Amino acid sequence: MPHVDPFPEPSSKSSIPVRPELDEAQEAKYDEVLQYFLKLEKVPTSEKMTELTPITDDDRIFLTRECFLRYLRATKWVVPDAIKRIEGTLGWRRQFGVDPETTLTADLVSEEGETGKEVILGFDNDSRPCLYLKPGRQNTKASHRQVQHLVYMLERVIELMPAGQDQLALLIDFKPYKVNTKNTSKMPSVGTGREVLHILQTHYPERLGKALLTNIPWYASAFLKIIHPFIDPLTREKLVYSEPFPNYVPKEQLEKDFGGDVDFEYVHEKYWPVLTKLTAEKRAIYKHNFELLGCKIGLSEADLRNPNLVVPAPKTDAVVDAVAEKVEELKVNQTETVSAAV
């Protein structure tokens, strides 16, 4: 039978690369960013940062250790730039509305997903969840909801990341498909392309680990050339053109169409509810751990993703323990003395 569900976990053949330790200067810059946000009381309500409102737990849960490091790497470890970018993203997230339970819901973008033009399926060799983009399956006219759909899928990909991995893999297939809709363009406009690039590079920095592109027709090649100047140089290095996907993704989690073993069939009525439920469960674990760890800024995403997190009991000072023990002993002695006198 065809496979119709997303994979919940990476293949046993995948592994998570170990990131190099921060040097002393990098740790100092990280601590500077952390201390700034620990003292922050208000955050922007939009990307333009013209209005501020009190910080909330929705903001705090976004401000993880890994988040600060992603923005520091993206800004070449320039602390003021990283801080400004993070504040801008906090404002953008409020303005755009990324909450899957209140604003950017599964129902809102469900129609965009009916043909499987964006699908989360499997993990690559480095345990990055794979997001397939298939513009040939485009089923709607250009609109803001198309951008919302992409952001929705990006947020779900992030929720599926295993502990220790904070990047994703894009698998972009330009092959044409027969889709029963009219007046749709298989390629986004340059304006939409620039908006999407802005969102990806500004508000999801260092999230892209690898982008594999295949079946590139002449018009797609022309589009890529047009937007190429707007692509960050670091992002360009992650683009791989027309190489075999099995070089990067284990066959047991890769579609047959791309050289894998998975006979995947996209059935929206089956896939969509499973993806929604699976990511909701991951999100619930993340929020539960955030509360368990005190709703603090600067928590580790590895801890927040851990389904079996155990929080150690707080350590107390040995001297304080000894004093408390002595006080209890004096109380007992005093009680015994009073009893004897009576």
Side-chain angles (χ1 to χ4, degrees), residues 8-17 122-130 157-158 160-169 248-250 253:
E9 304 292 343
S11 160
S12 59
K13 295 180 181 178
S14 299
S15 60
I16 300 175
F123 297 76
D124 74 359
N125 293 337
D126 291 334
S127 297
R128 304 183 190 104
C130 298
V157 168
I158 290 170
L160 288 174
M161 291 175 179
Q165 179 55 272
D166 65 348
Q167 292 187 323
L168 62 96
Y248 300 93
V249 183
Q253 291 197 351

Side-chain angles (χ1 to χ4, degrees), residues 267-283:
V267 181
H268 187 65
E269 294 74 17
K270 295 181 179 179
Y271 178 93
W272 200 245
V274 174
L275 175 67
T276 303
K277 182 175 183 292
L278 176 61
T279 52
E281 290 170 351
K282 300 278 188 180
R283 188 163 61 252

Side-chain angles (χ1 to χ4, degrees), residues 60-71:
R60 294 185 183 95
I61 198 171
F62 175 76
L63 298 172
T64 62
R65 172 178 172 82
E66 288 80 3
C67 171
F68 295 147
L69 291 175
R70 285 191 293 271
Y71 280 84

